[in-house]
Amino acid sequence: MDTLTKTVGEKQIEKQSMAGSEAVIRSLLAEGVETVFGYPGGAIMPVYDSLWHFQEELKHILTRHEQGAIHAAQGMARVTNKPGVVFATSGPGATNLITGLADAKIDSTPLVCITGQVASPLLGTDAFQETDIISISMPVTKWNTQVTKAEDIPSAIAKAFYIATSGRPGPVLIDITKDAQFASLDFSYKKCNGFRSYVPKPALDHDEVEKAARLIDSAKKPFILFGQGIILSEAENELKAFVEKTGIPAAWTVLGLSAMPTDHPLNVGMLGMHGNYAPNKLTNECDVLIAVGMRFDDRVTGDLSRYAKQAKVVHLEIDPAEIDKNVKTDIAILGDAKESLQLLTSLCSENNHDDWVQKFHDLKAIEYDQVIQKELNPDKPGLTMGEVIRRVNGLTDSEAVVVTDVGQHQMVACRYATFKQTKSNVTSGGLGTMGFCLPAALGAKLGAPERAVVAVIGDGGFQMTLQELGTIFQTNAAVKIIILNNNFLGMVRQWQQLFFDKRYSSTELVNPDFVTISKGFGIEASSVSERQYLDAALKTMMDHDGPYLLEVMVEKEDNVFPMVPTGASVEDVRLS
């Protein structure tokens, strides 16, 4: 590596001559990256060869599949609020990232994915492992680009990090041809802080915030809905201050979970299809609906034609595309949630809405009697998913990161897991990706090694990415894995029972021996099926030094309630 100095204006910029592959590594180090998840292959071999020289500075986690790599990067990003980084090769390596990219796009997770590509003279020739990943990934990335010249690598990576993390975060992809990785450049790195036509954070409109404050002050039955925008902008304290000053009850989306402590007196629970009874029913009784950092997706709103039609809607959101997309807004406050809430709180008067809040408590009591008590403290022989989560809360003192897959166990965990700190709920919210949990839990544990990380997975989803047990074993990441096994694709079965006259078409599973599989990967494991042994089994898992898998045999045909059936209004939420 040679060093040279050039004078630009009055500044002297030191440049180092190196290969494009080394420029990739040095650019990542300049962005503060410490961990990369990936899987090597032909078109990205030069990058991996350069990585070999930086093993002390940049840790590489070799997953067992590229999908595992990107979900692990998502898990790390969700607990750190820093972009996850992924390497993959061309062709199938790159296409194996697509599900993770789509998942990260809809859940606003910052990722920087770097794929190798065939040499530029071979582009368009159907060369071995060539695929047009730029066109394929365009709908599922916030930005992507192909680099064919070594000298363009540093600026492309700098731009990628800026786009991934600014405004509404999201995944980006850089595709680098193999000849660009081999070619030399004079390396220097300058972080990107903006470029023409991209405005990631709209300026606050003070007039709109003042109008919102006046409306909120005059409301008799106001209601706050908050989503992941609170966590992404690190506005947890600002949300708490707003809620407490105005005395307004607040409910959360799945991705907003843990942004407010579970036991806060104005936290009234979860919105949506399997959310709590009170927030769903009272959405259609409030007079002012204040949505913060959420996007009114269909799982939250149910039938839009019957959603909060009586309410004035105030929407605090950083992405202009979300305003009026699903729910018509009366006052839109475009901007970062942290800044918007600070100003809005300062303009609102101190207030309380005790009678209105009591309505939430009254409906919660009904839900407790008809649903929650039976789920958390069952008197039937079979184990329920809810009682497992209740015991995990106690063993972890509500301080764990809970990572879930998709299905019944996900909804049960979101309903019953309790949290004291933010960034504690990691799940696939928008895309609903089965197979997400196991690798995401690995990434979460590596991103937050000081915290307990509990992966809660169904028996179906576990089998989609179980090969990542190998990565967990190799890294010795102390992930605690709970398989809630009902030998069914439980959520689909529930819908078949309720809406398809119990025609259980292709949802019953004949499962392998999960304990033997885990032990085959070198991970200690056990299984429990009786209530009298459940506490001890969970404690053994949590106390174990290293990763551990616990299979819990739960009731085969149990359902998750409350439930808002597809196409129904939120006020039609069912308790059975």
Side-chain angles (χ1 to χ4, degrees):
M1 182 178 69
D2 299 322
T3 300
L4 59 88
T5 302
K6 287 186 176 180
T7 300
V8 179
E10 296 181 351
K11 293 184 178 179
Q12 285 194 330
I13 298 177
E14 187 176 88
K15 295 192 174 186
Q16 298 170 327
S17 178
M18 65 182 68
S21 57
E22 184 176 343
V24 172
I25 306 300
R26 289 189 178 275
S27 298
L28 295 180
L29 292 173
E31 291 289 346
V33 176
E34 297 177 351
T35 303
V36 175
F37 300 90
Y39 203 100
I44 201 167
M45 282 183 66
V47 169
Y48 272 86
D49 187 59
S50 291
L51 179 65
W52 189 84
H53 300 283
F54 292 87
Q55 296 178 62
E56 295 297 320
E57 297 95 332
L58 188 59
K59 182 189 299 182
H60 179 267
I61 305 299
L62 174 61
T63 58
R64 300 309 188 255
H65 191 284
E66 291 86 355
Q67 185 181 357
I70 194 165
H71 290 329
Q74 289 178 269
M76 177 171 280
R78 294 277 288 276
V79 298
T80 63
N81 262 12
K82 298 177 181 176
V85 181
V86 181
F87 286 165
T89 192
S90 62
T95 56
N96 283 340
L97 299 179
I98 294 301
T99 297
L101 287 168
D103 194 286
K105 179 74 160 36
I106 200 167
D107 281 355
S108 306
T109 305
L111 297 179
V112 175
C113 298
I114 297 174
T115 52
Q117 182 56 278
V118 301
S120 54
L122 295 176
L123 288 172
T125 67
D126 293 334
F128 178 67
Q129 290 191 333
E130 183 198 3
T131 193
D132 181 3
I133 194 62
I134 295 300
S135 296
I136 294 170
S137 66
M138 189 170 292
V140 292
T141 52
K142 189 177 176 185
W143 178 74
N144 65 14
T145 190
Q146 187 173 75
V147 177
T148 59
K149 296 178 180 178
E151 57 265 33
D152 294 336
I153 289 174
S155 60
I157 291 178
K159 192 172 181 179
F161 274 86
Y162 177 65
I163 293 173
T165 57
S166 57
R168 181 178 179 174
V172 302
L173 184 142
I174 307 170
D175 192 42
I176 307 177
T177 60
K178 197 168 183 178
D179 52 328
Q181 298 172 47
F182 276 127
S184 295
L185 73 154
D186 294 333
F187 177 81
S188 67
Y189 195 80
K190 182 180 179 182
K191 287 195 177 187
C192 179
N193 295 309
F195 56 90
R196 196 178 71 171
S197 78
Y198 177 59
V199 183
K201 188 193 295 186
L204 266 181
D205 184 331
H206 286 228
D207 291 341
E208 291 300 300
V209 181
E210 286 185 6
K211 283 168 55 180
R214 288 196 295 273
L215 180 63
I216 292 167
D217 280 349
S218 67
K220 303 301 181 187
K221 295 189 289 185
F223 186 24
I224 297 169
L225 319 180
F226 64 90
Q228 190 185 207
I230 297 294
I231 297 171
L232 293 171
S233 67
E234 300 189 330
E236 293 88 349
N237 290 336
E238 286 74 13
L239 173 68
K240 183 169 177 283
F242 177 59
V243 167
E244 292 179 351
K245 183 175 182 182
T246 59
I248 300 175
W252 35 271
T253 68
V254 164
L255 293 184
L257 175 57
S258 86
M260 175 182 280
T262 308
D263 61 358
H264 191 285
L266 290 172
N267 183 339
V268 295
M270 176 172 148
L271 299 159
M273 180 171 282
H274 291 287
N276 292 107
Y277 191 52
N280 276 313
K281 293 287 284 188
L282 296 179
T283 292
N284 278 10
E285 290 189 23
C286 68
D287 56 0
V288 175
L289 194 64
I290 307 146
V292 189
M294 55 88 71
R295 56 187 179 84
F296 291 112
D297 77 287
D298 64 303
R299 285 291 175 113
V300 165
T301 65
D303 182 1
L304 275 171
S305 69
R306 291 181 287 162
Y307 181 78
K309 291 300 181 185
Q310 80 293 341
K312 296 287 187 183
V313 177
V314 179
H315 196 176
L316 285 68
E317 173 58 46
I318 198 167
D319 184 355
E322 294 296 342
I323 301 296
D324 294 338
K325 186 174 81 174
N326 296 322
V327 172
K328 181 66 178 174
T329 301
D330 294 284
I331 301 176
I333 300 177
L334 277 174
D336 174 74
K338 192 180 188 79
E339 296 174 9
S340 301
L341 282 172
Q342 284 174 345
L343 181 58
L344 182 61
T345 303
S346 71
L347 297 173
C348 284
S349 303
E350 288 192 23
N351 210 338
N352 68 71
H353 300 277
D354 293 343
D355 292 344
W356 171 234
V357 172
Q358 185 58 45
K359 284 198 170 186
F360 286 86
H361 294 326
D362 293 344
L363 293 180
K364 181 179 180 181
I366 295 172
E367 181 184 349
Y368 186 85
D369 288 341
Q370 296 190 32
V371 177
I372 298 174
Q373 168 68 12
K374 298 173 186 174
E375 180 68 26
L376 299 188
N377 301 287
D379 54 12
K380 54 188 176 183
L383 294 175
T384 68
M385 295 183 183
E387 65 181 312
V388 177
I389 301 301
R390 176 175 64 79
R391 286 170 164 83
V392 170
N393 292 336
L395 284 169
T396 61
D397 195 25
S398 305
E399 296 280 6
V401 175
V402 176
V403 187
T404 52
D405 215 74
V406 171
Q408 286 183 315
H409 72 277
Q410 178 193 32
M411 293 296 100
V412 170
C414 288
R415 285 178 50 79
Y416 299 117
T418 53
F419 298 107
K420 293 180 177 176
Q421 58 178 305
T422 187
K423 303 184 186 73
S424 295
N425 176 52
V426 179
T427 194
S428 172
L431 198 65
T433 302
M434 290 178 69
F436 172 86
C437 178
L438 190 65
L442 165 68
K445 184 61 184 176
L446 295 175
E450 75 285 359
R451 300 188 64 186
V453 173
V454 180
V456 181
I457 318 178
D459 45 310
F462 178 72
Q463 293 179 77
M464 287 194 171
T465 51
L466 68 83
Q467 73 277 5
E468 299 308 334
L469 288 174
T471 315
I472 291 173
F473 173 67
Q474 186 166 343
T475 58
N476 197 35
V479 178
K480 311 302 180 184
I481 306 159
I482 300 174
I483 299 177
L484 296 176
N485 184 1
N486 56 10
N487 290 308
F488 258 121
L489 300 177
M491 187 60 83
V492 183
R493 186 211 55 76
Q494 176 172 337
W495 282 59
Q496 289 173 332
Q497 176 186 341
L498 298 175
F499 308 115
F500 293 87
D501 297 327
K502 298 186 177 181
R503 292 187 295 275
Y504 297 146
S505 177
S506 299
T507 47
E508 187 163 11
L509 295 168
V510 177
N511 282 320
D513 183 338
F514 294 124
V515 172
T516 298
I517 287 174
S518 184
K519 290 184 175 180
F521 277 98
I523 295 174
E524 191 56 52
S526 62
S527 181
V528 63
S529 58
E530 297 181 43
R531 186 164 293 120
Q532 61 182 317
Y533 303 119
L534 180 58
D535 281 327
L538 287 166
K539 189 171 189 309
T540 297
M541 176 190 74
M542 295 305 300
D543 289 345
H544 183 74
D545 184 16
Y548 193 98
L549 184 146
L550 176 64
E551 176 192 41
V552 182
M553 302 303 301
V554 296
E555 280 210 318
K556 196 168 183 178
E557 296 188 36
D558 210 357
N559 292 331
V560 184
F561 287 104
M563 181 179 188
V564 180
T566 297
S569 165
V570 288
E571 65 184 350
D572 296 330
V573 55
R574 294 172 49 176
L575 290 173
S576 61

